[in-house]
Amino acid sequence: MSATDTLVSFRKVQKSYDGETLIVRDLNLDIRKGEFLTLLGPSGSGKTTSLMMLAGFETPTAGEIWLGDKRLDRVPPHKRDIGMVFQNYALFPHMTVAENVAFPLKVRGMGRGEISSKVKQALAMVQLDKFGGRYPGQMSGGQQQRVALARALVFQPQLVLMDEPLGALDKQLREHMQMEIKHIHAQLGVTVVYVTHDQSEALTMSDRVAVFHQGEIQQIDHPRALYEQPNNTFVANFIGENNRLAGTLHSQDGDTCAVRLPHGEMLHALAVKVGGAGSAVSLSIRPERVRLNRASEGCANRLTGRVEEFIYLGDHVRIRLEVAGARHFVVKQPIADLDRELKVNDVIPLGWDIEHARALDPAEAH
Amino acid sequence: MTTLAAKPPLLSKDGLPLKRQLARAERASKLKALALILPLVLFLAAVFVLPLIGLLGKSVDNPEVVRFMPRTVTALQGWDGRGLPAEAAYAAVAHDLAAAREAQTLGDLGKRLNMEVPGYRSLLGKTARRLPLEPAPAAFKTALTELDERWGDPVYWQAIRRNTEATTPFYLLAALDRHVDEQGEITRVDPGQAVYVDVFARTFWMSAVITVLCLLIAYPLAYLMASLPARRANLLMICVLLPFWTSVLVRVAAWIVLLQSGGLINGALQWLGLIDAPLQLVFNRLGVYIAMVHILLPFMILPIYSVMKGISPSYLRAAISLGSHPFAAFWRVYFPQTLAGIGAGGLLVFILCIGYYITPALLGSPNDQMVSYFVAFYTNSTVNWGMATALGGLLLIATLLLYIVYGWLVGAKSLKLG
C-alpha cells in the first residue's frame, strides 16, 4: 500500500474525559481511500469516541489526526467535509425529506436548479423519489435511515461516517439495509467508516474491520482473516463462536507448538500468541472445524467427548459436549452430516487439524 | 365470496353489530373514568364556572330603573325621545320616586342614573324630599319643573329611557371608552374621560415587554439546563423553582427593599462610585418590569426546557457535520424545534401578565396600573359591579382569543410536523 492510498490517519491518538481513565488508549489507524472500514467492539471500547474525534465533535487529548498532509484535528467540524449518519437518523423534523437532503447543499450556497437535481438524484439512489414532500415523522425507520444516507452522501463528501446506523431497525430490515449500504458504497466508491457492535454486520459489509477493546485496536484485517486467523483470545471470542481449551505451553517448534491440557492430553496448534514453555495458553477452535467419529480419524489432534445436548437450528445442529473437562465445547454439524444414532451421553472421538487450532494468550477472567 | 360493493357491517358472535357491541363493552370503563373526575367537575362547576357566568352577567345587568321606576318605564313606552315626555310620565316619576324613598332604594337608583348624567343623584334627592306632592297638583309637569328646572331638560328623560331594558351595553361600552349618546348612536366619550382604552393598551404593552424580557432571559438558561448532565441540571432546576416556594407578596416587598432610593442596589452603586444620586428604580415602570420578570420567569423557563429536553443533540451535530456553521445550525435546525415551547411559555407569561394586580399596585406609579387594578378599584372602592365585571370580561375575552390563536398556530404547526 502506498502512502497516497491513505485518506486519514490517526497517530498515537488518546482520549480521556475525566483525566483519570483513557477511553482511547493509543490509536494508530490508517483509513484507505474508498474502503469500507468498520470499527467493531463492545460498548465502551472507544470505537464511537474515535468516530466522534474523526467527525470533530470530540477533540483528541493527545496525538494527531491527519487528512493527507493536513492536520484534521485542527479543522472545525463544519469544515471537515465529512458526511455523517446517526443511529437515531437525526433528520430535521421541521423540514421535508427534500429539504433535509437539500440542507448540506443550501449551506454550501449552491444554486436552486442544481440543488433540486442533486436532491432528486440522491433520493432516487435510495429509492425514495416519491417521498420528497413528506416529513420524516411520516416515514418508517428504514425509510428515515435511507433519507439520512442520502443526506450524508448528497454533497459528495470525501468520507462518510456511520454511527450504528441500523441499530434501531428490526433484524430483517437491518439485513436488507446492510446490503443496500454496501451496494451504494460499491457504486459511489466513497470512503466509509462504520461503527457497530454487531460482528455479523461488520463481517457482511466491510472491506476491513478494526476490532476495538479497552481503547485499543486489537486487530485490523479483512473479515475472513479476522474470523479465521484471530490474533488474540479477545478477537477469537468476539468474532463468531469459539471453543476455548486452557492449557500450558509444552514446547514450540517454529509456527506450531505443543500444549498440555490439565488432564495430561497433548495437543498441537499454531503458535500465534504464546509466551515461553510453561506459560498459560488458550487454545481456540472454531465449532465448524471439529470433526466427529470416523471423520476425525485423520486429524492431528484427537480427543474424546461426551455428548451433553443437541440444539436444532434447521440447517445445522449444534452439539454441546464435555471435552477434556470443558463443558461448553460446541460442535457445529451440517444437518446432512449428522449421525442420527448419536444420543446424549454417548462418548465419541473427535479431532481437528493443527491449522484450525490457534494457541493464544490466556483468556481473561470475565 | 362477498361482492366488493356495500360491505355489510361486521357482526359480533351474538349477531349484534360489532360497533354497538364495542360501545357496550367500553361503556363500563368510560363510566368509571367519568366517576373518577366527577368530584373535580362538580367542584369546578360550583366554585368557578357558575360564579364566573353569574359575574359576567353583571356586566350587562341593568336592574335599577326597571325595578325601582316601573310606572315611569311604562309611561315612557310611547315617547320617541324627542322633546319632553307627556304628563303621564311626570306623574309616574312623582309616584315612583315617592315609593323609592319609602323603600330606601333611591340611593341605588341615583348612583346608576348619575353614571348617565352627572348631577342626577342630587336631582332625585331634591325631588324625592318634596314628595309626595300634597295636594296632588293639576299638572305634574308644571309642578316638577317648578321644583327643579332640570325636569324640563330632555337629557334627564333620555337617561331614564335608555335604561328601560333589564340589560345594557353601558358598562361594556364604558370599558372601551364608548357610550350611547342622545341620538342613540355609539360614540367615543370626551377625550378627558377616556381612560380604559389607554389602560388596555398599557396592559398589553407592558405584558408584551415582560414576555419578551422573560423569553430573552429564559431561553439561554433553558438551553444550558437541557445540555447539562442530569445532576447539575436538577440543581439549576431547584434554583429556578425556588421562587415558587415564596409568596408573591414577600417577593414584591423584598424588591421594594432592594430597589428603593436608600436600598441595597442604589447603596452599592453609590458606594462603588458609579452614580452620584440614587436611581429611581421602584414605584415606576422599571420597578414593575423588574419584579414581574422575576416572578414570571419560571413560567417561561419550564415549557421551553421541557421542549428542549426532547430535542436530541444529534440534530445539531448532524447539521454541523453537513457543513453548517454552529450558529447557523442552531438557528435553522434547533431554534425552529423549540418554537412550540416558546409559544407555550410566551402565552403563559402573557396571560398571567395581563391579569396581574399586586405587583403593579405595589411597585408601580399610578401610570403603571393595569386593567386588574381598575377591576379591584370598582369592586372594593366604588362597588360598581357593572364596570368591574365589564373590564374583567373584556380581559377574559382577550385571553380566550389569544388562546384560540395560539391553539390554531400550534395545531397547524403540529399537523405539519405530522
Side-chain angles (χ1 to χ4, degrees):
Chain A
M1 180 187 81
S2 69
T4 53
D5 282 348
T6 304
L7 183 66
V8 176
S9 57
F10 285 74
R11 297 194 193 152
K12 295 182 181 161
V13 170
Q14 294 187 309
K15 175 71 185 175
S16 171
Y17 286 108
D18 52 6
E20 287 169 11
T21 49
L22 283 167
I23 297 297
V24 174
R25 235 176 248 277
D26 179 18
L27 183 63
N28 292 287
L29 172 64
D30 286 333
I31 300 166
R32 299 174 195 162
K33 238 170 235 173
E35 79 169 332
F36 195 117
L37 174 71
T38 296
L39 313 184
L40 174 69
S43 58
S45 60
K47 58 189 194 305
T48 298
T49 307
S50 303
L51 192 79
M52 287 300 166
M53 287 194 283
L54 191 50
F57 297 123
E58 303 286 356
T59 42
T61 312
E64 299 160 0
I65 305 172
W66 289 81
L67 177 79
D69 49 4
K70 220 170 55 180
R71 276 290 288 275
L72 189 64
D73 51 312
R74 291 187 181 155
V75 179
H78 63 280
K79 289 188 180 153
R80 292 197 180 188
D81 203 25
I82 292 175
M84 186 146 181
V85 181
F86 295 82
Q87 179 174 11
N88 58 1
Y89 324 131
L91 294 178
F92 309 139
H94 59 294
M95 298 183 191
T96 62
V97 165
E99 284 167 347
N100 262 287
V101 178
F103 186 84
L105 305 176
K106 244 184 225 165
V107 164
R108 286 170 172 74
M110 204 173 270
R112 272 183 154 213
E114 202 178 348
I115 287 181
S116 83
S117 78
K118 285 209 169 194
V119 166
K120 229 177 244 168
Q121 211 180 323
L123 286 177
M125 178 184 72
V126 293
Q127 291 137 46
L128 288 173
D129 335 39
K130 294 188 181 66
F131 291 77
R134 291 234 193 145
Y135 283 89
Q138 302 166 321
M139 303 178 88
S140 72
Q143 289 171 330
Q144 290 190 48
Q145 195 52 280
R146 277 196 239 157
V147 176
L149 201 60
R151 191 178 66 175
L153 291 167
V154 72
F155 61 104
Q156 291 163 337
Q158 49 190 339
L159 183 59
V160 176
L161 311 182
M162 303 193 187
D163 185 12
E164 308 213 11
L166 308 180
L169 304 180
D170 62 56
K171 189 169 176 287
Q172 216 166 356
L173 192 56
R174 197 162 63 222
E175 282 166 5
H176 176 77
M177 285 297 292
Q178 284 170 6
M179 294 325 290
E180 202 159 321
I181 291 176
K182 197 177 166 178
H183 293 154
I184 288 174
H185 168 251
Q187 187 188 330
L188 300 180
V190 66
T191 313
V192 175
V193 178
Y194 191 100
V195 161
T196 183
H197 61 261
D198 179 343
Q199 44 106 0
S200 76
E201 193 166 289
L203 296 182
T204 315
M205 302 176 75
S206 323
D207 296 327
R208 288 198 303 160
V209 178
V211 180
F212 276 68
H213 184 49
Q214 295 177 337
E216 278 177 315
I217 294 181
Q218 302 290 323
Q219 187 172 355
I220 175 163
D221 226 323
H222 306 288
R224 181 172 183 156
L226 214 56
Y227 184 82
E228 294 184 1
Q229 294 146 24
N231 275 348
N232 60 35
T233 305
F234 176 81
V235 176
N237 285 337
F238 194 73
I239 312 262
E241 234 184 317
N242 185 43
N243 290 311
R244 276 175 298 164
L245 292 174
T248 49
L249 189 72
H250 178 261
S251 63
Q252 188 171 351
D253 176 22
D255 286 347
T256 61
C257 61
V259 174
R260 188 188 295 279
L261 297 189
H263 294 300
E265 300 94 332
M266 191 71 83
L267 297 174
H268 295 272
L270 295 174
V272 179
K273 192 179 180 188
V274 292
S279 61
V281 159
S282 175
L283 283 179
S284 157
I285 309 112
R286 295 286 184 200
E288 65 275 15
R289 296 296 187 184
V290 181
R291 296 183 199 158
L292 298 178
N293 285 333
R294 307 247 332 251
S296 69
E297 272 168 13
C299 295
N301 295 308
R302 295 201 66 190
L303 291 169
T304 54
R306 193 171 57 82
V307 177
E308 298 226 318
E309 194 178 8
F310 292 93
I311 302 151
Y312 179 76
L313 284 156
D315 58 339
H316 70 270
V317 172
R318 287 155 50 90
I319 305 165
R320 192 163 64 77
L321 305 111
E322 186 190 334
V323 174
R327 300 199 57 180
H328 290 280
F329 198 94
V330 173
V331 178
K332 256 189 204 172
Q333 284 261 291
I335 212 83
D337 300 348
L338 184 70
D339 182 357
R340 305 250 165 217
E341 301 294 305
L342 212 53
K343 285 190 290 292
V344 171
N345 279 333
D346 285 356
V347 175
I348 52 168
L350 48 85
W352 56 85
D353 293 328
I354 292 181
E355 66 263 34
H356 295 139
R358 298 172 71 81
L360 304 170
D361 51 319
E364 308 152 44
H366 282 285
Chain B
M1 290 306 310
T2 51
T3 54
L4 284 174
K7 227 161 71 183
L10 282 174
L11 297 181
S12 71
K13 293 272 180 207
D14 310 338
L16 288 166
L18 194 59
K19 268 202 178 139
R20 188 129 54 94
Q21 191 69 23
L22 179 70
R24 187 177 292 179
E26 300 283 301
R27 194 177 301 148
S29 66
K30 270 187 192 157
L31 282 177
K32 205 188 282 174
L34 213 63
L36 282 174
I37 58 162
L38 193 63
L40 179 68
V41 170
L42 290 178
F43 177 78
L44 280 182
V47 305
F48 185 68
V49 179
L50 291 179
L52 191 71
I53 292 170
L55 274 178
L56 285 179
K58 279 208 184 299
S59 65
V60 292
D61 198 15
N62 192 30
E64 292 88 352
V65 173
V66 176
R67 198 182 305 161
F68 304 139
M69 299 180 85
R71 295 181 193 84
T72 318
V73 169
T74 320
L76 283 180
Q77 262 166 7
W79 184 46
D80 64 353
R82 288 169 215 277
L84 285 168
E87 164 70 16
Y90 281 86
V93 162
H95 280 114
D96 278 338
L97 289 185
R101 198 171 73 133
E102 289 286 306
Q104 296 193 330
T105 53
L106 208 57
D108 288 342
L109 193 59
K111 193 169 124 194
R112 175 69 188 89
L113 286 172
N114 211 47
M115 290 178 199
E116 298 276 347
V117 184
Y120 219 127
R121 193 200 314 255
S122 70
L123 171 65
L124 289 189
K126 185 177 167 192
T127 312
R129 267 196 301 281
R130 305 284 192 80
L131 292 174
L133 293 170
E134 294 285 351
F140 279 92
K141 196 168 186 169
T142 338
L144 282 180
T145 316
E146 261 170 32
L147 200 76
D148 193 310
E149 59 186 11
R150 281 179 282 186
W151 287 120
D153 186 345
V155 168
Y156 291 87
W157 292 99
Q158 282 156 357
I160 297 179
R161 188 171 172 267
R162 278 202 295 276
N163 291 294
T164 51
E165 300 283 329
T167 56
T168 176
F170 174 79
Y171 300 111
L172 287 171
L173 289 174
L176 292 168
D177 291 339
R178 300 288 191 281
H179 71 144
V180 178
D181 64 6
E182 287 77 4
Q183 280 76 47
E185 304 280 319
I186 294 172
T187 50
R188 280 168 194 275
V189 298
D190 298 339
Q193 293 178 326
V195 280
Y196 300 113
V197 169
D198 284 349
V199 168
F200 273 108
R202 181 196 301 156
T203 304
F204 285 113
W205 168 249
M206 286 174 70
S207 304
V209 170
I210 290 163
T211 307
V212 169
L213 288 176
C214 278
L215 177 64
L216 290 180
I217 297 174
Y219 198 87
L221 179 65
Y223 183 67
L224 178 71
M225 274 165 50
S227 53
L228 277 181
R231 252 188 61 213
R232 284 164 67 194
N234 282 343
L235 195 70
L236 268 183
M237 180 57 89
I238 289 173
C239 296
V240 167
L241 291 176
L242 210 56
F244 270 143
W245 301 326
T246 332
S247 136
V248 173
L249 207 57
V250 172
R251 278 183 277 165
V252 170
W255 276 117
I256 295 178
V257 172
L258 282 173
L259 296 173
Q260 63 190 327
S261 333
L264 226 56
I265 290 174
N266 270 315
L269 288 176
Q270 274 176 303
W271 184 76
L272 287 170
L274 291 173
I275 51 170
D276 297 327
L279 295 173
Q280 183 63 39
L281 294 174
V282 75
F283 308 123
N284 59 7
R285 191 70 59 97
L286 184 64
V288 178
Y289 283 155
I290 292 174
M292 283 189 68
V293 165
H294 170 241
I295 289 166
L296 295 172
L297 204 50
F299 296 100
M300 185 66 96
I301 295 173
L302 294 176
I304 296 180
Y305 171 67
S306 78
V307 166
M308 283 180 171
K309 267 307 252 191
I311 300 174
S312 161
S314 65
Y315 289 123
L316 264 185
R317 288 188 162 179
I320 292 169
S321 80
L322 293 170
S324 175
H325 189 275
F327 288 126
F330 184 89
W331 180 246
R332 290 174 61 177
V333 171
Y334 194 87
F335 179 77
Q337 295 187 55
T338 61
L339 280 178
I342 293 175
L347 189 77
L348 200 58
V349 170
F350 193 84
I351 286 176
L352 285 171
C353 263
I354 59 176
Y356 237 71
Y357 165 63
I358 191 138
T359 313
L362 292 179
L363 288 174
S365 73
N367 288 328
D368 306 319
Q369 299 310 323
M370 309 210 283
V371 174
S372 359
Y373 172 84
F374 291 89
V375 175
F377 170 77
Y378 280 119
T379 352
N380 299 331
S381 306
T382 64
V383 199
N384 184 345
W385 285 101
M387 275 315 286
T389 51
L391 287 168
L394 287 177
L395 215 49
L396 182 67
I397 289 169
T399 309
L400 290 178
L401 281 179
L402 271 175
Y403 190 76
I404 289 167
V405 168
Y406 170 77
W408 180 70
L409 280 178
V410 168
K413 192 143 196 85
S414 59
L415 258 183
K416 208 177 135 199
L417 291 179

